[in-house]
Amino acid sequence: MHNRATQYFDIQQIAPNIYWIKPRTIAPLSIDRLFDKLKQFMELTTELITNRETQGIVYSPPIEDVDYTELYEVAEDNSDFYSKLSELVLSSTIFQSAKKPIIGFLDKSCQNTVLSIMLWATYRIAFEDIEIGFAEPNYGIFPGFGGTIVTARLLGPEIAIPLLTQGVKYSAQEGYQHGIINQLIPRSQDPVITIVDCIENYAEISKEQIALRGQRSLEIDEDQLEQASAFISKRTNMLNLGINACINVVKRSLGLPIKDALLLEAELFSKAWTTPQALSMLRSRYIGINQAVTLHKPKTPLTINKIGVIGAGMMGAGIAFQAAKSGITAILCDINLNAAQEGKQYAHKITNKQVQLNQITLQQQKEILERIYPTASYDQLDGSELIIEAIFEDKNLKAEITNENEGYLNPAGIFATNTTSIPISILSKAMQRPECYLGMHFFSPVDKMQLVEIIRGEDTNEETIIKAVQIAYQLNKIPIVVNDGPAFFTSRIFFNYILEAITMLLEGIPGMQIEKASREAGFAVGPLAVLDEISLDLMMHVYNQMPAIHSSQRRCYSYLEKLTSLGRNGKKSGSGLYDYDATTSAKTIWIDPDLPSSNNTYPNDQVKNRLLNVMALDSFRCLNEGILTKAIDGDIGSILGVGYPPQTGGVFSYIDQIGIQRFVAQCNAFQNSGDQWNIPSVLSDLASKNFTFYNKFIPNVPFDRSN
């Protein structure tokens, strides 16, 4: 057989009786044509591998990333989805039965459905600079197209479950370490030599692979499997239905013939798309995030090479590290060189751990650290395309720093403040060019938190916003753009989360119940534990920076004032809303004898509703006041910035999920608890019309101001 082409693929003979199936570059495919393409891929694979003379084949990723919006529509409305999917995955068993090498070559980063199809291969070779991962758990579903079954059988269920359910990306090195990738080669190396050598010597290479795979499939440690399942279930509180289904598939498929296992996966995968969770999570985590930079996309892409960071504390050090990791030179300034060098040590600590985990190489670590320049000489900032001030939350000090260092900006550069709450329009008064000033609110720890909240001041021009969005994108962050106001969006609703917990304490609801209910609702950490981590005095300082606070906030402020006067300042002082054991680091809720206690049991569901609803209600106020310009930014910001339960899809998707009339009724029931429960008349009017913020993936007017 010689080189030939089909509708979707080119087949190249790279050595005698060794063939490479490469996808042809054509226009984006509809889902129907996607299935047609995969069907043709399987027909070609079967034809080639069953040919007596064929020694082996290799294939590149046969498809591009799947449009999950289209896949949702097909899975929701098309009764043929399951039958098409099951037919496809059943045909993939040729990879296991052929007894000849079928090599998957990962020449580019592969995620989701593309990765699932590459896992069909009997052996995988990859360039060492790619990434892999399954993002489906973030969308309320789980890896399909054979991905869950093949991964579980390839790695063993107890190892596979975390990989299938974390929703994160892995470097090629990590993929190799886990056994997803069998061989890595540098980008500069011709892959044909490696592929041909692998196929010609596959009998020897495969002995260890076959033995390992057989051992994993036959010797499953039930205790480890249960531990892996319990660990993931505890993290999600079993609220992510897609993750629950994934674990269910892995457990139920144990011992099943491969065809039965693949049919089970196809059945539950098809059903996973039909849940309200999948719609909400797909909208915010897939569509919303993918569109995050398009609204402010410039005519020509912007790439910066140098940023200045003023303040080498945790936030400044984190921003400098993220810049260096993204290939940008970072000038890290502080009041003295020791402080600046200590800030660089943060990057040392993170990269040392990454090297130990095979996430980066020693050479990559060296390159990252060489891009961070600690200094006390602020003139080193000269020429920076972005200067970001990341000092303590003090508006006078921030203004002074801004005024002193604006002159070091590149003529086309922008100046940003990393503030959690101080209005940008106040801080910008220190600038000679306030139109080039804005807020860039990063979240701690910077290297792990995906969001950057970009805040537009009264004088900030659109060009500055566009540059900030592109810089956030270059830093591998997800930007949302909000308008100015006290505490902006994320901090404002986060403060309400903490406020409501303190309010409930003052009403006599036990702290332990509040914390437990928050986790049951899907929050990763309870509000009282979060406040102790922040520290009570810092929370009070933030409120001191606010232009005005209402009576409920004043009541809570007075209680925090009382606790700090007792020395109960939070975790750093050894006591706060919790008591901390200095020896064991264990913590227990502190029971304040001065708080009211009640013999009546407060319903747990009401505690959960108060924590969920108070954030969603104030998010609506932000939308109504114009702090937010569209609901999807509120959904993205609430999940990625302040840990709103991910299974809701975000604050506005949560309202849609439970229904706006039910939401308003629940909020009305809490009005005796304070001003935070005052319901805007606009919201009541919308409830009377049974308004939804979205029609599936499309935002509804009047609250989308993005155009």
Side-chain angles (χ1 to χ4, degrees):
M1 182 180 291
H2 301 287
N3 295 351
R4 65 186 178 92
T6 68
Q7 179 185 4
Y8 296 116
F9 297 95
D10 291 313
I11 301 106
Q12 297 178 1
Q13 185 170 339
I14 58 175
N17 300 317
I18 296 176
Y19 301 95
W20 192 333
I21 304 174
K22 294 184 176 181
R24 303 183 73 187
T25 302
I26 57 176
L29 298 174
S30 67
I31 295 300
D32 283 341
R33 291 186 69 197
L34 173 75
F35 273 106
D36 287 342
K37 185 176 184 181
L38 288 173
K39 183 178 180 181
Q40 186 178 107
F41 169 70
M42 289 310 307
E43 289 171 350
L44 284 173
T45 302
T46 304
E47 176 191 342
L48 288 168
I49 207 65
T50 54
N51 185 307
R52 183 183 302 177
E53 296 181 353
T54 299
Q55 187 176 356
I57 63 175
V58 59
Y59 67 98
S60 303
I63 58 173
E64 298 293 328
D65 291 339
V66 175
D67 186 334
Y68 273 26
T69 311
E70 286 190 28
L71 196 57
Y72 174 87
E73 298 289 352
V74 173
E76 182 192 37
D77 300 326
N78 190 345
S79 59
D80 291 336
F81 180 68
Y82 168 72
S83 60
K84 287 182 178 179
L85 182 60
S86 57
E87 179 184 358
L88 176 67
V89 295
L90 286 177
S91 68
S92 72
T93 56
I94 186 67
F95 287 78
Q96 285 80 39
S97 62
K99 303 188 186 307
K100 293 180 183 178
I102 304 177
I103 309 299
F105 179 52
L106 286 70
D107 56 354
K108 58 186 176 181
S109 294
C110 295
Q111 297 183 61
N112 308 332
T113 300
V114 183
L115 178 59
S116 291
I117 293 166
M118 297 309 294
L119 290 177
W120 294 352
T122 52
Y123 194 83
R124 283 157 301 284
I125 299 170
F127 283 134
E128 60 189 7
D129 59 352
I130 65 145
E131 290 182 322
I132 60 172
F134 291 115
E136 287 96 338
N138 298 325
Y139 310 151
I141 51 174
F142 67 95
F145 291 81
T148 293
I149 296 299
V150 174
T151 303
R153 296 192 177 210
L154 180 68
L155 306 180
E158 65 277 9
I159 298 174
I161 284 176
L163 297 178
L164 291 165
T165 58
Q166 300 279 4
V168 298
K169 293 180 183 178
Y170 297 92
S171 67
Q173 285 286 344
E174 290 174 292
Y176 175 74
Q177 185 181 19
H178 286 304
I180 296 173
I181 298 170
N182 304 104
Q183 190 172 347
L184 295 174
I185 60 173
R187 178 73 62 174
S188 58
Q189 182 173 320
D190 182 358
V192 172
I193 297 171
T194 304
I195 291 165
V196 171
D197 181 69
C198 177
I199 291 175
E200 290 179 343
N201 297 282
Y202 192 70
E204 282 300 315
I205 292 172
S206 65
K207 283 181 181 178
E208 184 179 346
Q209 299 295 319
I210 293 170
L212 182 59
R213 188 177 302 178
Q215 183 181 18
R216 282 170 173 162
S217 63
L218 294 174
E219 299 179 9
I220 295 166
D221 189 320
E222 295 287 349
D223 289 338
Q224 288 186 11
L225 173 57
E226 288 303 321
Q227 287 174 13
S229 303
F231 172 75
I232 298 298
S233 297
K234 183 178 180 181
R235 283 189 61 184
T236 64
N237 286 294
M238 299 194 72
L239 295 170
N240 187 317
L241 300 182
I243 289 176
N244 296 348
C246 183
I247 294 172
N248 189 16
V249 168
V250 172
K251 289 183 174 181
R252 286 176 57 188
S253 66
L254 294 178
L256 288 179
I258 184 65
K259 290 187 176 182
D260 292 342
L262 289 168
L263 287 175
L264 172 65
E265 182 204 88
E267 177 190 354
L268 296 189
F269 182 73
S270 300
K271 290 179 179 177
W273 289 90
T274 63
T275 67
Q277 273 193 5
L279 173 61
S280 297
M281 296 177 73
L282 192 66
R283 182 172 55 229
S284 58
R285 298 297 298 274
Y286 176 69
I287 298 172
I289 287 174
N290 286 343
Q291 294 176 345
V293 297
T294 58
L295 181 62
H296 301 278
K297 194 171 183 179
K299 294 179 181 178
T300 55
L302 170 71
T303 301
I304 67 166
N305 300 303
K306 177 181 178 179
I307 74 167
V309 183
I310 300 175
M314 180 176 289
M315 290 302 299
I319 295 167
F321 166 69
Q322 191 66 32
K325 182 182 173 185
S326 305
I328 303 169
T329 298
I331 310 300
L332 183 58
C333 297
D334 212 308
I335 194 167
N336 59 62
L337 185 58
N338 285 340
Q341 289 174 332
E342 188 174 332
K344 184 173 179 176
Q345 283 301 313
Y346 180 80
H348 272 281
K349 181 179 177 181
I350 294 176
T351 52
N352 282 339
K353 185 175 181 180
Q354 289 177 332
V355 169
Q356 291 170 5
L357 295 173
N358 289 316
Q359 293 173 343
I360 61 173
T361 64
L362 283 169
Q363 179 61 30
Q364 288 171 320
Q365 179 189 36
K366 179 175 179 289
E367 291 170 358
I368 290 170
L369 295 176
E370 285 177 346
R371 284 192 283 266
I372 302 175
Y373 292 84
T375 182
S377 301
Y378 283 63
D379 56 3
Q380 295 295 311
L381 296 169
D382 194 43
S384 295
E385 292 145 290
L386 164 70
I387 294 177
I388 182 162
E389 162 270 302
I391 66 168
F392 187 67
E393 286 289 279
D394 185 297
K395 56 190 174 189
N396 294 325
L397 185 57
K398 283 178 177 286
E400 181 182 335
I401 290 289
T402 301
N403 181 263
E404 290 175 353
N405 294 285
E406 178 186 0
Y408 293 125
L409 272 179
N410 177 295
I414 62 174
F415 205 109
T417 177
N418 180 69
T419 177
T420 59
S421 58
I422 304 172
I424 302 304
S425 301
I426 292 175
L427 294 175
S428 69
K429 296 186 185 305
M431 287 279 291
Q432 295 295 315
R433 296 186 299 147
E435 68 276 9
C436 299
Y437 187 85
L438 78 168
M440 290 185 74
H441 178 199
F442 289 81
F443 296 79
S444 184
V446 176
D447 59 296
K448 293 181 180 178
M449 298 294 282
Q450 295 176 281
L451 189 74
V452 173
E453 183 180 26
I454 294 172
I455 306 109
R456 184 199 310 267
E458 289 177 0
D459 297 315
T460 310
N461 64 22
E462 184 62 20
E463 184 181 358
T464 298
I465 295 295
I466 289 171
K467 288 177 181 177
V469 168
Q470 292 299 299
I471 291 169
Y473 190 64
Q474 191 177 343
L475 292 172
N476 295 305
K477 296 299 179 186
I478 296 162
I480 62 169
V481 179
V482 305
N483 288 317
D484 200 11
F488 325 122
F489 170 63
T490 53
S491 296
R492 175 169 158 175
I493 65 168
F494 176 67
F495 294 158
N496 272 281
Y497 176 57
I498 293 175
L499 166 74
E500 197 59 25
I502 299 297
T503 301
M504 286 191 278
L505 274 181
L506 296 174
E507 291 174 7
I509 299 172
M512 186 176 296
Q513 182 182 1
I514 296 167
E515 297 289 85
K516 182 173 181 289
S518 71
R519 291 189 294 273
E520 289 176 356
F523 292 96
V525 184
L528 305 180
V530 169
L531 181 53
D532 267 6
E533 290 284 346
I534 295 171
S535 82
L536 279 62
D537 61 341
L538 181 58
M539 187 70 182
M540 291 169 60
H541 178 78
V542 168
Y543 274 118
N544 287 335
Q545 302 291 313
M546 306 279 275
I549 58 177
H550 57 61
S551 59
S552 296
Q553 291 169 327
R554 283 196 297 272
R555 185 168 64 248
C556 293
Y557 183 95
S558 296
Y559 184 63
L560 297 181
E561 205 170 29
K562 170 203 162 182
L563 294 186
T564 55
S565 70
L566 296 173
R568 306 193 67 88
N569 197 36
K571 186 176 181 179
K572 67 180 182 182
S573 65
S575 64
L577 295 156
Y578 281 82
D579 284 318
Y580 299 86
D581 189 300
T583 304
T584 65
S585 298
K587 64 181 182 182
T588 53
I589 285 281
W590 177 59
I591 301 175
D592 185 348
D594 295 334
L595 289 178
S597 59
S598 173
N599 295 324
N600 298 323
T601 302
Y602 195 86
N604 217 42
D605 282 347
Q606 289 194 29
V607 178
K608 289 191 281 189
N609 289 342
R610 285 179 67 168
L611 294 172
L612 289 164
N613 289 16
V614 76
M615 296 177 79
L617 179 58
D618 204 48
S619 296
F620 175 80
R621 294 192 193 99
C622 289
L623 190 62
N624 192 43
E625 295 165 12
I627 303 295
L628 289 170
T629 60
K630 53 188 187 296
I632 193 67
D633 283 344
D635 281 343
I636 294 170
S638 61
I639 290 176
L640 298 185
V642 292
Y644 199 75
Q647 81 279 356
T648 64
V651 282
F652 296 105
S653 289
Y654 165 73
I655 297 174
D656 277 1
Q657 272 191 33
I658 69 169
I660 193 168
Q661 292 179 349
R662 180 182 172 196
F663 173 76
V664 169
Q666 289 177 352
C667 293
N668 269 319
F670 304 138
Q671 289 216 358
N672 288 338
S673 293
D675 298 330
Q676 66 273 27
W677 293 108
N678 292 340
I679 297 174
S681 58
V682 176
L683 182 59
S684 298
D685 291 342
L686 292 174
S688 69
K689 300 169 186 173
N690 207 22
F691 175 81
T692 58
F693 292 95
Y694 304 98
N695 177 15
K696 286 190 180 178
F697 300 124
I698 308 300
N700 284 327
V701 293
F703 291 110
D704 182 42
R705 304 179 178 90
S706 57
N707 295 321

